[in-house]
Amino acid sequence: MSSSAESAVHRPTAGRWWIVVAALLLQFSIGAVYAWSVFGKALAEPTTMNLSTSEASLTFTVTIGMIFIGSYVGGKVQDRTGPRPVALTGGIIYGIGCLIASFAVSHDASLLWLLVLGYGVISGFGLGYAYIVPIAMLQKWFPDKRGLITGLAVAGFGFGAVVTAPVAQWLIAMTPTEPNRAFLPLGIGYIVLAVVGASFFRNPPEGYTVPGWKPSVSGRTRDAYKQFTEQEALRTPQWYLLTAILTLNVTVGIALIAQAAASAKDIAGYSVAGAAALVGVLALFNGGGRIFWAWISGFTGRMVAFGLMLGLQGVCLLIVPHATNGVLFFILAAIVYLCYGGGFGTMPATAGDFFGVKHAGAIYGLMIIGWSLGGIIGPPIIAALIGEDQNYVLGYTVIGIIALVSLIVPAVTRMPKPETPAAAVVVDGNGMPEVD
């Protein structure tokens, strides 16, 4: 046996944290989508494409709507081909969509279709196609840290707008009457980051275990630990309840995200540059929330954590339209971003708890429909409610009430029950019960 083969046998986890770093690079590039409000505000200026509030949010709505299609296809393909080719393809498609969007530079709405096609349809599909890959892959590498690692797996996505928002604002300022030209250098940068990160992706070898890690004894049953297939998961009410929780968490959080720059300027008096910087800083909470809530859910339980996320968002959204103080607005928005990101950090681990990780790509890939539904529902509702008369009180009050009513769903959601009672079991490194 060669020395490298011997090393792989004795140190099977060697290098797994470098795969996390690679995953963060990919997620950082596609997570730039959360800087959209910087573009949305620029596109609504009379000197650019002169779009209405609803038209300016249309592209973002389509982008989020396409994520489900991309993630479902990418999840199924990944289960067959492995993570690397799927992540590479998705990242490149996302960047190409941005390049196409850079040509929508007309000073009226006549080229809105090109923006929707490029950034909405093409980039949205590529985003979803790549997004699901590191989530499924890293759960297989880290059965000993599933909650933390799923938070990290999507944290890079939340952090994507930290740099992108101020950079996009700087690029837009270079050609203020044609803001979409900023998509050209951004698209090139996204492709570079995605290709570098995805090139290191791989699944652990067959029979992989974490040395020294002893799975805990659980009171859950053998059926609870079975590795559900996609079809089996869809036959349980739990899949639909979890998807509903994700949908609702996205709907209420993304309503603020889609209007963050404009709301900061109109409600709290931020300057244009200050609002763009605020969006970038808030992305830290979007990314950090994915790690924070995934970690917290390990102590509180998954459903309690989701209840806290929805409840906190509801209260904050009710207060936001009255937050004329810049500091108060920032604090409220930061909490919403933290809880919004927390849903994405916690749900993959929750799905793994409920259905196992063997078919995580396909099962969670399907659940991403909640992200798309929330993206389709939230931004248009808030844009329509705010309207041209900037009625932020009506808009955020309605969304806040939706968040508080949504608390019912995690309150009634329970783990899948077995057909017959079973004793407590020990699970192995892949989340499966050890069978005598």
Side-chain angles (χ1 to χ4, degrees), residues 8 87 114 127 139 148 182 254 256 308 384 413 415:
L114 185 58
L127 192 165
Q139 286 194 76
L148 172 63
I254 209 167
L256 175 64
L308 289 171
T413 303
M415 286 283 298

Side-chain angles (χ1 to χ4, degrees), residues 70-163:
S71 63
Y72 176 62
V73 176
K76 291 184 73 68
V77 173
Q78 177 191 249
D79 287 341
R80 295 196 303 268
T81 67
R84 186 178 302 160
V86 179
L88 284 169
T89 302
I92 292 171
I93 291 174
Y94 178 73
I96 289 174
C98 292
L99 300 182
I100 293 173
S102 71
F103 293 101
V105 294
S106 174
H107 286 200
D108 56 51
S110 63
L111 286 185
L112 177 60
W113 68 269
L114 185 58
L115 180 61
V116 172
L117 173 66
Y119 197 77
V121 177
I122 296 176
S123 286
F125 178 84
L127 192 165
Y129 198 80
Y131 175 82
I132 193 65
V133 177
I135 296 172
M137 174 185 67
L138 291 179
Q139 286 194 76
K140 297 172 183 176
W141 277 104
F142 292 85
D144 53 328
K145 306 177 188 295
R146 189 186 304 167
L148 172 63
I149 210 63
T150 54
L152 286 172
V154 295
F157 191 89
F159 288 133
V162 174
V163 173

Side-chain angles (χ1 to χ4, degrees), residues 22 24-36 38-39 63 87-101 118-119 123 126-127 130 157 159-169 171 180 182-198:
L24 291 175
L25 283 177
L26 171 70
Q27 295 286 57
F28 189 87
S29 67
I30 60 178
V33 68
Y34 283 127
W36 172 258
V38 174
F39 283 98
T63 303
L88 284 169
T89 302
I92 292 171
I93 291 174
Y94 178 73
I96 289 174
C98 292
L99 300 182
I100 293 173
Y119 197 77
S123 286
L127 192 165
F157 191 89
F159 288 133
V162 174
V163 173
T164 302
V167 169
Q169 184 62 50
L171 291 170
N180 286 340
F183 281 120
L184 180 60
L186 288 174
I188 294 171
Y190 299 155
I191 290 174
V192 171
L193 283 175
V195 168
V196 171

Side-chain angles (χ1 to χ4, degrees), residues 309-329:
M309 291 178 220
L310 288 167
L312 285 170
Q313 286 182 93
V315 172
C316 290
L317 289 168
L318 291 175
I319 303 173
V320 159
H322 309 287
T324 55
N325 178 277
V327 174
L328 177 59
F329 181 91

